[in-house]
């Protein structure tokens, strides 16, 4: 996990992507159309355990990190630490901010919810794809999908990622998380978007 000066742009891209991922998830929780599969899973578990989303994210990713370390430690990098430590707490921070600045009925209108939903969903998918495409390490949740795809050589990554996300979403739903259009879109769209963004990022960075 040595830092090289040529990775400076990629590290900045990771930090920006992680920040916007946290912001996007916090907004998606507000509009209540569901969140990404990983967040749905962790929101369900954290609510059952009675701890903050950010704290459970760190615990959950730390558990998966052990598996990543055993099977493919090349997936571990600065991006791994940034994602597993920062995203959940950024979500908690913006949730705290919104609780204090926005009225309780701010998102009761379906029209407002849809207006907020569209850019938030696009922001989450693109920022998640950028952070994975720069290849400075993956969050343990994402790294497991890459490891599975490598083991299942005949199965395309996008298929492995969809199955992985759908499984997380189903478990999250069973634990009480909101499963909605956002969860479905991300489960089916993130894999292909990562592939597309990776091609663009490699031309720039």
């Amino acid at each position: 996990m040595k830092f090289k000066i040529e990775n400076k742009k990629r590290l900045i891209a990771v930090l920006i992507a992680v920040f916007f991922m946290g912001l996007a998830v916090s907004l998606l929780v507000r509009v209540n159309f569901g969140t990404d599969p990983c967040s749905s899973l962790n929101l369900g578990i954290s609510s059952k355990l009675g701890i903050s989303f950010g704290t459970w994210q760190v615990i959950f990713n730390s558990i998966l990190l052990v598996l990543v370390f055993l099977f493919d430690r090349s997936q571990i990098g600065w991006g791994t630490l940034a994602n597993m430590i920062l995203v959940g707490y950024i979500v908690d921070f913006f949730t705290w901010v919104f609780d204090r600045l926005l009225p309780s009925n701010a998102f009761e209108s379906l029209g407002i919810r849809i207006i907020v939903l569209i850019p938030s969903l696009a922001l989450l998918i693109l920022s998640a794809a950028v952070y994975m495409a720069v290849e400075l390490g993956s969050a343990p949740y994402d790294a497991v999908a890459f490891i599975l795809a490598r083991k299942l050589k005949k199965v395309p990554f996008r298929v492995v990622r969809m199955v992985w996300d759908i499984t997380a979403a189903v478990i999250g739903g069973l634990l009480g998380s909101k499963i909605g259009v956002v969860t479905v879109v991300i489960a089916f769209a993130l894999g292909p978007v990562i592939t597309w963004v990776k091609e663009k990022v490699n031309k720039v960075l």
Side-chain angles (χ1 to χ4, degrees), residues 4-179:
K4 298 179 180 179
I5 191 65
E6 59 265 29
N7 286 333
K8 183 177 180 180
K9 289 183 179 179
R10 291 177 179 265
L11 180 58
I12 292 172
V14 164
L15 294 175
I16 293 173
V18 164
F19 174 83
F20 283 113
M21 286 168 63
L23 172 60
V25 170
S26 66
L27 287 169
L28 291 172
V29 170
R30 287 279 159 173
V31 299
N32 200 31
F33 282 116
T35 61
D36 65 282
C38 180
S39 295
S40 296
L41 172 64
N42 286 325
L43 284 166
I45 296 175
S46 63
S47 66
K48 295 296 183 182
L49 295 178
I51 60 179
S52 76
F53 175 71
T55 299
W56 171 248
Q57 280 267 84
V58 174
I59 296 172
F60 174 73
N61 279 310
S62 296
I63 294 170
L64 291 185
L65 184 62
V66 175
L67 298 176
V68 178
F69 185 82
L70 291 175
F71 291 100
D72 187 4
R73 62 188 65 179
S74 68
Q75 294 283 344
I76 301 173
W78 294 103
T80 308
L81 298 178
N83 187 292
M84 67 182 286
I85 296 173
L86 297 178
V87 172
Y89 287 121
I90 291 172
V91 174
D92 285 348
F93 169 73
F94 278 110
T95 298
W96 176 81
V97 170
F98 294 151
D99 283 343
R100 282 152 182 78
L101 296 182
L102 299 177
S104 58
N105 62 348
F107 292 102
E108 285 187 0
S109 168
L110 178 61
I112 292 177
R113 291 169 63 204
I114 293 175
I115 290 173
V116 175
L117 165 68
I118 296 173
S120 299
L121 177 56
L123 180 63
L124 177 59
I125 292 176
L126 287 174
S127 57
V130 167
Y131 122 79
M132 283 184 273
V134 296
E135 296 183 331
L136 279 185
S138 303
Y141 174 87
D142 300 312
V144 170
F146 284 118
I147 292 170
L148 289 173
R150 189 170 294 127
K151 298 293 183 182
L152 303 172
K153 297 180 180 179
K154 295 183 179 180
V155 183
F157 169 74
R158 63 181 181 275
V159 175
V160 173
R161 179 73 198 209
M162 282 191 290
V163 173
W164 179 239
D165 283 341
I166 291 169
T167 301
V170 169
I171 296 174
L174 293 174
L175 291 173
S177 289
K178 172 72 175 182
I179 303 300

